[in-house]
Amino acid sequence: MNKKNHNKKHTTSEVCRQRLSTSLVFVKKYWLNLWHGAPPGPVLFGLAMITALIMAIPIVYVTLEALLAGTDNWLRLLDTRVPHLLWNTLSLTLLVTFFACLIGVSLAWFVHRTHLPGYKTWQWLLALPLVIPPYVGAVAYIIIFGPRGWLWRYWRDSAWLSERFGEYPIDLYTFWGVCFILTLFTYPYVYLITSAALRKMNRNFEEVARAQGMSTKHIFFKVNLPFLRPAIGAGAILIALYVLSDFGAIAMLRYTTFTAAIYYQMSSYDHLSATVLSLVLIILTLIILWIETRTRKNRHYYQTTNSFQPPKRLSLGKWTWIAFVFVFLIFSLSVLLPIAVLLYWTMIGIGDGVLDTKFWTYGFNSLKVSALAALSCMFLSLPVVYLRSRYPTTISYFIAKLSYAGYALPGVIVAIGVIFLFNQYVPILYNTFYLIAFAFIIRFLPQSMQATDASLRLISPRIDEAARSLGQPPWKVMLTVIIPSVLPGILAGGALVFVSAMKELPATLLLRPPGFDTLAVRIWVDTSEAMYAQAAPTALLIILVSLIPLRYLLKKY
């Protein structure tokens, strides 16, 4: 009997081993098929997968918490807050995108396609608003045009103006005030990308159209505009996503959109309402991305390069100085005026001793978290980009897309996800500056990935194959061959992340530990208390630091 039981157990274990072996063979074969017979190394895949999972934390947390918020919370917000916030957010996004595209395309056309006086200088001057955070621009305009600002005081002291025109007519704290500020400091997104498209446009198409008797106006709408649509669409989607996620300028001008409402709900410790509003904002962002994808689908315009001729510049004739005044006006409103205001108050602040130990402590705090985020992004971006480039499959594509998730999310939503993660699972790091750096990584890793990917695309995969054929393992190929080749792109991506992190406001406000202030936070605090002499040097320092990646952007676009 014992012998029979022993034989039976032996037979069962053999069957289990055979089944396990068959399952392992099936899994291995399936895994090889997924990667077309050439799977990546476990280290590369593991690093890329961990990065993608980290980037997915805010979306996963916000979605789960919002779905579990309860029917009462959803009905209350849908009846009261959501319709008003939807109207405020969508109307502002649409109008800012429209006006910024109109200004950006017009400036790009004047600078790159006409004999505008000084067009070579204007090429880079008109990109400068990109390094001025909109909340810094809002500070400058509040100082000049706001209540108790310079112009208000002059109006009050002028009996002639008061008697003839009545009370002070300018009110920045309105929808149109917010729209004006955001338009001035977001148009470079369209300007830069459209400028690149204009420089690459083939002159032959215009010459053929002109030979058919078309006027310059008809050539622009029938020939130039179709080629510019992808560039305009790319710039428009960047502007729309920025407006959806902006908090600083909107809050300073006392306008309420989803980001401001989420921040105020978090400040009042109403986390459930904050997650519900966050999920609505995520859905809104996804809808905008879907619309952009659908409008771009089946609208492809190509031009051959074998007969490429650079476009000719057009004479503006009697419109020359009108165009010049328009360009100078935009530059003055978006660059000269804010910088002049900040310089004025900076000189007053320096005279009052603002540049003290606290000021440099704020600068060091910003430097610390921004540098940590930049270094981390440079390290994390390469595995994801390399996996997507060298192992193009559904898995690598999904990992890359998931890694881009944070870029489409406002800093407020990212902060909510980070708070949940560290509070629940890593409490030892809660209320430390590491949370801020972690949020910056989630927000700005896609910037590093884009720069790294641009450099990696210039390197042929045959170089990798040749190195591996000599017996080098994949990790050694990446260290000795790939990284040295793409190092300029990695460093450029790190610079972009560093500058973006220096300017980030909402995530820092929510995640900063007690007593840990950064430059962006001090601008917010000092401006809220009308302490402009303290805020101006801080804002000017952020702008100067933000000039670091400008050369890279101008070279790229």
Side-chain angles (χ1 to χ4, degrees):
M1 187 72 179
N2 292 333
K3 187 175 181 180
K4 288 183 179 180
N5 289 335
H6 176 74
N7 292 334
K8 187 176 181 180
K9 290 180 180 178
H10 180 73
T11 304
T12 303
S13 61
E14 285 293 333
V15 171
C16 290
R17 278 197 294 268
Q18 289 177 1
R19 289 179 178 177
L20 180 61
S21 176
T22 303
S23 300
L24 290 175
V25 170
F26 174 78
V27 170
K28 185 177 181 180
K29 185 177 180 180
Y30 181 74
W31 180 254
L32 289 173
N33 289 334
L34 283 177
W35 299 98
H36 308 299
V43 176
L44 174 63
F45 179 76
L47 287 174
M49 196 66 196
I50 291 172
T51 302
L53 292 175
I54 290 173
M55 298 295 285
I57 287 172
I59 290 181
V60 173
Y61 168 71
V62 169
T63 302
L64 291 177
E65 287 294 308
L67 293 177
L68 298 175
T71 307
D72 292 339
N73 277 317
W74 273 95
L75 291 177
R76 176 174 57 83
L77 291 172
L78 288 175
D79 287 341
T80 57
R81 300 295 304 279
V82 172
H84 176 68
L85 292 174
L86 273 176
W87 170 253
N88 283 359
T89 304
L90 287 177
S91 58
L92 184 65
T93 301
L94 291 174
L95 281 179
V96 170
T97 303
F98 172 77
F99 288 124
C101 287
L102 189 63
I103 293 173
V105 173
S106 302
L107 293 176
W109 181 263
F110 288 138
V111 169
H112 294 279
R113 293 303 313 274
T114 70
H115 288 287
L116 181 75
Y119 60 83
K120 290 185 178 180
T121 305
W122 287 119
Q123 288 180 7
W124 64 272
L125 284 180
L126 292 173
L128 289 178
L130 198 64
V131 302
I132 303 177
Y135 60 82
V136 172
V139 171
Y141 273 89
I142 289 171
I143 292 173
I144 299 177
F145 300 103
R148 304 187 181 280
W150 293 350
L151 188 59
W152 177 86
R153 293 176 185 176
Y154 178 77
W155 192 284
R156 180 197 60 184
D157 296 337
S158 173
W160 184 84
L161 287 173
S162 300
E163 291 175 2
R164 184 172 292 270
F165 298 103
E167 295 183 358
Y168 184 63
I170 301 176
D171 186 5
L172 285 177
Y173 300 102
T174 62
F175 170 84
W176 292 108
V178 178
C179 183
F180 175 76
I181 297 295
L182 288 178
T183 299
L184 280 182
F185 298 101
T186 57
Y187 81 79
Y189 289 111
V190 171
Y191 167 75
L192 287 172
I193 301 175
T194 305
S195 296
L198 285 171
R199 286 197 297 269
K200 297 175 183 178
M201 194 170 292
N202 198 332
R203 186 172 70 202
N204 294 342
F205 297 99
E206 297 182 14
E207 291 179 347
V208 171
R210 205 172 296 280
Q212 298 296 322
M214 286 189 180
S215 63
T216 302
K217 176 182 176 182
H218 286 91
I219 290 175
F220 176 79
F221 287 103
K222 298 291 186 181
V223 179
N224 299 134
L225 194 57
F227 283 116
L228 291 177
R229 278 177 185 169
I232 297 173
I237 200 67
L238 289 175
I239 293 170
L241 291 176
Y242 186 90
V243 176
L244 283 178
S245 64
D246 184 75
F247 168 76
I250 288 173
M252 285 182 178
L253 295 174
R254 302 171 190 171
Y255 190 76
T256 306
T257 60
F258 271 103
T259 50
I262 294 167
Y263 174 79
Y264 296 136
Q265 295 295 147
M266 287 294 296
S267 301
S268 60
Y269 301 100
D270 187 0
H271 292 187
L272 287 178
S273 297
T275 55
V276 171
L277 295 177
S278 298
L279 183 58
V280 176
L281 182 55
I282 290 174
I283 294 172
L284 187 60
T285 303
L286 293 176
I287 290 174
I288 290 178
L289 291 172
W290 178 79
I291 291 174
E292 190 269 340
T293 303
R294 293 292 299 176
T295 55
R296 192 173 52 182
K297 189 176 181 181
N298 298 326
R299 292 197 177 199
H300 303 288
Y301 302 90
Y302 303 99
Q303 55 185 10
T304 58
T305 58
N306 56 352
S307 60
F308 176 79
Q309 295 186 62
K312 287 183 178 180
R313 292 187 175 272
L314 305 174
S315 175
L316 289 170
K318 64 181 181 180
W319 300 99
T320 299
W321 292 108
I322 296 177
F324 181 84
V325 169
F326 169 73
V327 171
F328 183 77
L329 178 64
I330 297 298
F331 175 71
S332 299
L333 293 174
S334 59
V335 178
L336 290 183
L337 189 145
I339 296 297
V341 173
L342 294 178
L343 285 173
Y344 171 82
W345 278 107
T346 297
M347 297 305 296
I348 295 177
I350 292 174
D352 294 340
V354 171
L355 303 184
D356 54 7
T357 305
K358 288 185 178 180
F359 176 84
W360 299 114
T361 301
Y362 305 147
F364 177 73
N365 289 342
S366 294
L367 178 67
K368 181 166 57 176
V369 293
S370 300
L372 181 59
L375 291 172
S376 301
C377 286
M378 287 190 286
F379 173 76
L380 294 173
S381 63
L382 185 58
V384 178
V385 170
Y386 188 79
L387 185 73
R388 177 69 182 92
S389 175
R390 298 304 193 250
Y391 302 92
T393 63
T394 304
I395 297 177
S396 60
Y397 179 81
F398 175 75
I399 289 175
K401 285 297 182 184
L402 203 58
S403 300
Y404 275 90
Y407 199 58
L409 297 178
V412 175
I413 296 179
V414 173
I416 293 174
V418 171
I419 289 171
F420 161 76
L421 175 68
F422 282 83
N423 189 31
Q424 295 290 328
Y425 301 105
V426 198
I428 192 173
L429 295 179
Y430 191 72
N431 262 343
T432 65
F433 71 90
Y434 293 106
L435 273 71
I436 303 175
F438 191 79
F440 288 168
I441 293 170
I442 295 177
R443 282 278 287 132
F444 305 121
L445 179 66
Q447 293 183 352
S448 181
M449 290 173 57
Q450 288 174 338
T452 304
D453 184 58
S455 295
L456 188 61
R457 287 178 183 273
L458 302 177
I459 301 175
S460 173
R462 294 181 180 179
I463 296 177
D464 308 37
E465 296 170 1
R468 284 198 295 269
S469 68
L470 297 175
Q472 300 294 333
W475 65 268
K476 196 169 184 179
V477 172
M478 182 174 290
L479 288 177
T480 59
V481 179
I482 301 302
I483 292 181
S485 301
V486 301
L487 189 58
I490 294 176
L491 294 176
L496 289 172
V497 173
F498 177 81
V499 172
S500 299
M502 288 283 290
K503 299 185 292 184
E504 173 64 24
L505 177 62
T508 312
L509 281 173
L510 286 174
L511 297 174
R512 63 191 174 113
F516 188 91
D517 284 351
T518 63
L519 295 174
V521 170
R522 291 315 306 175
I523 294 174
W524 168 264
V525 174
D526 292 336
T527 304
S528 301
E529 299 175 0
M531 300 169 64
Y532 302 130
Q534 284 78 13
T538 309
L540 199 59
L541 181 58
I542 286 182
I543 293 174
L544 292 176
V545 173
S546 300
L547 290 172
I548 294 173
L550 184 61
R551 182 183 177 187
Y552 165 76
L553 289 173
L554 293 177
K555 185 178 179 181
K556 181 178 179 181
Y557 293 118

